[in-house]
């Protein structure tokens, strides 16, 4: 019986020693994991920044948008162009982009739809400045679309935001909304009328 007690005592001590050793190892593993996580966070923060030239993105973006300088209207100052692009993008931190019509009787404006999202969605609008800019630089509506609407769409594509329509673009042929859909389709999107979204086609 005494020999059994000795064995049990030795087993108990071995177990305690093993637990102490394991506890020390666990602390070491935890410390290593914490150090690795902190290093990972530092590296992500260093990479996850916006590198656009004066035009803020939707918070941090791993696919930052850089404006296409060739879209700038002839004779317009570079800084003026950047300022207008920046002013045209509302709620840049939105989780999705809204495209649609401004005035359609019986329906909400795309701006109201965007502002009603939580958080408010991103949308394009130059408001009354549209006519002012067009008159000052002798630009047609097509010129304005190419210089300002298109960069907005390029930015949304670069940022990978979901694109939702407040109005069906197929109901307004020849409109800027239809032209926006045409542009998206030329860049790999398709329109899903059931979801009212532009969906990126699978490769």
């Amino acid at each position: 019986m005494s020999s059994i007690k000795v064995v049990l005592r030795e087993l108990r001590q071995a177990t305690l020693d093993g637990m102490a050793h394991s506890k020390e190892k666990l602390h070491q593993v935890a410390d290593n994991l914490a150090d690795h996580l902190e290093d990972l966070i530092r590296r992500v923060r260093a990479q996850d920044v916006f590198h656009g030239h004066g035009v803020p993105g939707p918070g941090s973006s791993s696919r930052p948008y850089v404006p296409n300088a060739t879209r700038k209207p002839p004779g317009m100052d570079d800084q003026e162009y950047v300022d207008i692009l920046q002013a045209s993008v509302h709620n840049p931190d939105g989780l999705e982009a809204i495209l649609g019509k401004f005035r359609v009787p019986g329906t909400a404006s795309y701006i109201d739809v965007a502002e009603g999202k939580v958080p408010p969605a991103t949308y394009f609008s130059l408001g009354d400045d549209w006519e002012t800019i067009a008159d000052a630089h002798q630009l047609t509506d097509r010129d304005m679309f190419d210089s300002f609407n298109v960069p907005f769409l390029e930015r949304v594509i670069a940022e990978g935001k979901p694109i939702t329509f407040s109005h069906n673009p197929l109901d307004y042929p020849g409109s800027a909304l239809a032209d926006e859909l045409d542009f998206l389709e030329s860049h790999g999107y398709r329109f899903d009328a059931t979801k009212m979204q532009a969906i990126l086609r699978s490769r």
Side-chain angles (χ1 to χ4, degrees):
M1 181 70 69
S2 59
S3 61
I4 294 176
K5 288 183 178 179
V6 171
V7 171
L8 290 175
R9 192 163 50 243
E10 290 178 352
L11 284 173
R12 179 175 178 274
Q13 188 60 47
T15 301
L16 291 174
D17 291 344
M19 290 178 64
H21 181 68
S22 297
K23 185 176 181 181
E24 180 182 346
K25 286 291 186 182
L26 284 173
H27 279 299
Q28 184 178 353
V29 169
D31 289 342
N32 289 342
L33 284 174
D35 291 342
H36 178 70
L37 182 59
E38 289 178 3
D39 179 64
L40 182 62
I41 291 172
R42 281 193 297 269
R43 282 187 289 161
V44 169
R45 283 176 176 168
Q47 294 175 6
D48 193 25
V49 296
F50 179 77
H51 297 293
H53 300 303
V55 185
S60 299
S61 173
S62 59
R63 290 175 289 177
Y65 166 65
V66 178
N68 184 342
T70 65
R71 299 202 184 281
K72 181 174 68 71
M76 181 177 285
D77 177 78
D78 289 351
Q79 188 58 52
E80 180 186 6
Y81 184 54
V82 168
D83 290 344
I84 294 173
L85 289 180
Q86 181 173 351
S88 72
V89 181
H90 301 260
N91 305 325
D93 294 327
L95 302 180
E96 65 179 311
I98 301 294
L99 303 177
K101 298 289 288 181
F102 183 64
R103 290 189 182 90
V104 175
T107 68
S109 161
Y110 76 99
I111 293 176
D112 292 335
V113 172
E115 292 292 353
K117 298 285 186 177
V118 180
T122 304
Y123 65 94
F124 168 87
S125 178
L126 284 172
D128 294 336
D129 289 337
W130 179 280
E131 294 295 338
T132 302
I133 296 166
D135 291 344
H137 296 277
Q138 299 180 327
L139 302 173
T140 65
D141 281 345
R142 186 70 225 186
D143 294 332
M144 291 289 291
F145 181 89
D146 291 339
S147 294
F148 300 105
N149 292 62
V150 168
F152 173 78
L153 297 174
E154 290 176 331
R155 173 176 176 158
V156 169
I157 291 171
E159 292 168 349
K161 285 189 180 183
I163 304 170
T164 302
F165 292 83
S166 62
H167 300 79
N168 190 328
L170 302 180
D171 292 339
Y172 305 95
S175 68
L177 182 60
D179 289 342
E180 288 175 329
L181 176 58
D182 287 344
F183 181 86
L184 291 171
E185 288 179 334
S186 72
H187 285 73
Y189 287 78
R190 63 177 178 83
F191 177 59
D192 186 330
T194 60
K195 297 180 179 179
M196 291 293 283
Q197 290 184 328
I199 308 295
L200 188 61
R201 295 188 182 93
S202 57
R203 300 294 180 184

